[in-house]
Amino acid sequence: MADTIQTTQTTRGQSAEHPIKRFFRATEIDTRLLGMIGALLFIWIGFQILTGGLFLTPRNLWNLTVQTSSVAVMATGMVLIIVTRNIDLSVGSVLGFCGIVMGVLQAKILPQYLGLDNSWIWVITLACGIAVGAAIGALHGAIIAFLQVPSFIVTLGGLLVWRGATWFVTSGQTVAPMNPTFRLMGGGTEGSIGATASWIVGLVACLAILGAIVNARKQRKRFGFPRRPLWAEYFLSVLSCALVLGAVWVANLYYWPINIARKYAEANAIAWPDGGLLIPHGIAVPVLIAVAVGIVMTFISTRLRFGRYVFALGGNPEAAELAGIKTRWVTIRIFALMGVLCAIAAAISTARLNAATNAQGELDELYTIAAAVIGGTSLAGGVGTVAGAMLGALVMQSLQSGMVLLGIDSPLQRIVVGIVLVLAVWADTVYRARAK
């Protein structure tokens, strides 16, 4: 009888709840992430008006996603760094060093032994770059964990050391060109998968989303956890699939430039139509890489024991130590993982430029940290999501892209980015205060 009365009271309380609150409670949508999406839409609409309709074009949106990829990859790792109450100021310099190492390998060293057109060149180059990045990150983590030097100082030193080392590798010279297969990771006309493959990827993604939602519901039922209402499951399924297919549709609306399409038609004996040959770019390869990294990092942070250790370490380091977590090795692994992500970002950046330069990655540490913080990662530790960081990277790049279209000078762009970063930290402080 008492249980019935309590259930009735709970039901009445939920029915008396505001419809919007009831909607968010049922769908379990992260309100902070939703706020980020609202801010992104506000930025996009604002720049669309200010640029006279140039911002929300398929071409600019396609380029925007490509430009976001490298920072988004590093931001996924920066989340784990900040969650553990650390910081990594060296990511831009590590990116530059890994980029110059990969550039020298494929442009100067490997062709001497394997030949210019050997298909293994890009594989060996990427593997060596990732190994170098992991070694640098592990070195930073070991100094922080075992020598007890604050991460701010270690990575600030790394920022200076690896930027200087980048110059010494080539004596300040730019290394080019890159291996043709390696260049596919940078996007461009060849570095995209086309319309058909893009639709296939989109449909596979939709099936994966539906499978994840169904599996999550089964797991909740199995362990006796409360489940979302069926209408909420249907809503999330339709919304997620619509967003994925909409993104694919926009990517397919961006066609090859006329000159490249004409050369393609001549090379393949295709008659040139009156309206021109419209060949969609489709999804860019670096975007696929960034999405894949985001999925893997989300799985690591939410599904693996290592991810639980990371958040436990960030929430209460002393309690994590007492619970038997080897916190020092967790720290080393986090920074090693960050080094790997820097190497992947370096591959994307180097392939996109078709060159390895000494200035590569400058100020990327600012954009990476800003992306993580804007995406909801708390500098106090213990709170952060990979999806939020990637969305934060898109917000940062949207600001920069919009300001470039408006012809705003680079110094003023940096001022705006700095102001946005301060506002994001202030918003996080306010949110945490209200949450208490």
Side-chain angles (χ1 to χ4, degrees):
M1 185 66 179
D3 292 339
T4 305
I5 294 173
Q6 185 176 0
T7 303
T8 305
Q9 290 176 346
T10 303
T11 305
R12 289 177 180 175
Q14 290 178 349
S15 61
E17 191 178 26
H18 194 279
I20 296 179
K21 289 185 178 181
R22 190 163 62 248
F23 171 80
F24 285 120
R25 185 186 299 277
T27 56
E28 299 179 0
I29 295 176
D30 187 351
T31 54
R32 295 187 70 179
L33 194 62
L34 189 63
M36 283 294 304
I37 295 174
L40 181 64
L41 292 177
F42 178 79
I43 291 170
W44 283 8
I45 294 172
F47 279 129
Q48 176 73 358
I49 296 171
L50 293 174
T51 59
L54 295 177
F55 190 85
L56 292 179
T57 58
R59 176 182 179 181
N60 189 61
L61 292 176
W62 191 89
N63 287 325
L64 180 62
T65 57
V66 173
Q67 293 163 1
T68 304
S69 299
S70 61
V71 172
V73 167
M74 292 190 292
T76 62
M78 189 62 71
V79 171
L80 302 187
I81 296 286
I82 298 178
V83 160
T84 56
R85 306 184 185 185
N86 289 300
I87 200 72
D88 193 342
L89 301 176
S90 67
V91 292
S93 297
V94 174
L95 183 153
F97 184 75
C98 291
I100 209 74
V101 167
M102 288 189 285
V104 170
L105 277 173
Q106 62 186 298
K108 295 185 177 182
I109 298 177
L110 292 179
Q112 297 178 6
Y113 301 97
L114 302 177
L116 289 173
D117 299 327
N118 194 295
S119 58
W120 282 98
I121 287 180
W122 77 273
V123 177
I124 297 173
T125 297
L126 184 61
C128 290
I130 290 175
V132 169
I136 292 173
L139 175 62
H140 291 172
I143 295 174
I144 294 166
F146 289 100
L147 300 183
Q148 299 297 306
V149 182
S151 60
F152 180 89
I153 299 300
V154 173
T155 56
L156 178 60
L159 182 151
L160 301 173
V161 168
W162 302 116
R163 183 60 64 188
T166 300
W167 189 91
F168 276 109
V169 171
T170 60
S171 299
Q173 297 178 355
T174 297
V175 181
M178 300 295 102
N179 177 267
T181 307
F182 184 85
R183 287 202 303 267
L184 298 180
M185 290 187 288
T189 301
E190 295 180 353
S192 51
I193 63 176
T196 303
S198 296
W199 284 118
I200 293 174
V201 168
L203 292 174
V204 170
C206 289
L207 292 176
I209 291 170
L210 294 176
I213 291 175
V214 171
N215 181 65
R217 187 172 182 84
K218 288 181 178 179
Q219 292 297 320
R220 290 188 177 200
K221 181 180 180 180
R222 176 185 175 187
F223 294 104
F225 294 151
R227 287 168 288 173
R228 289 188 290 251
L230 282 176
W231 68 263
E233 304 281 18
Y234 292 140
F235 172 80
L236 292 174
S237 301
V238 172
L239 178 63
S240 301
C241 293
L243 290 175
V244 170
L245 297 179
V248 173
W249 176 66
V250 172
N252 287 336
L253 286 178
Y254 179 39
Y255 303 109
W256 287 14
I258 294 177
N259 293 336
I260 297 178
R262 191 180 295 275
K263 290 180 181 179
Y264 176 82
E266 293 174 356
N268 293 274
I270 300 174
W272 187 259
D274 295 335
L277 190 62
L278 302 179
I279 305 176
H281 278 80
I283 303 173
V285 172
V287 176
L288 290 177
I289 294 174
V291 171
V293 168
I295 293 172
V296 171
M297 291 298 293
T298 299
F299 180 79
I300 290 174
S301 61
T302 60
R303 298 292 182 180
L304 296 185
R305 183 183 302 173
F306 172 72
R308 294 194 293 271
Y309 287 171
V310 168
F311 281 88
L313 177 59
N316 192 324
E318 293 78 12
E321 187 79 32
L322 293 173
I325 298 175
K326 297 179 180 179
T327 55
R328 292 181 177 180
W329 287 106
V330 171
T331 301
I332 293 175
R333 290 172 185 172
I334 292 171
F335 278 90
L337 181 59
M338 186 74 248
V340 169
L341 295 173
C342 287
I344 295 173
I348 294 173
S349 176
T350 305
R352 184 165 168 263
L353 293 173
N354 192 24
T357 69
N358 288 274
Q360 200 170 336
E362 285 188 353
L363 292 181
D364 273 10
E365 53 276 346
L366 166 65
Y367 293 109
T368 303
I369 294 171
V373 173
I374 290 173
T377 305
S378 174
L379 292 172
V383 178
T385 61
V386 171
M390 298 186 76
L391 187 59
L394 184 58
V395 169
M396 295 296 298
Q397 190 58 51
S398 297
L399 285 171
Q400 191 171 3
S401 176
M403 289 187 288
V404 168
L405 289 177
L406 290 174
I408 297 175
D409 294 334
S410 180
L412 185 55
Q413 293 181 28
R414 296 181 182 181
I415 291 173
V416 172
V417 170
I419 293 173
V420 170
L421 178 58
V422 173
L423 290 175
V425 175
W426 171 76
D428 174 69
T429 303
V430 173
Y431 180 86
R432 287 173 60 84
R434 290 183 177 179
K436 292 180 181 178

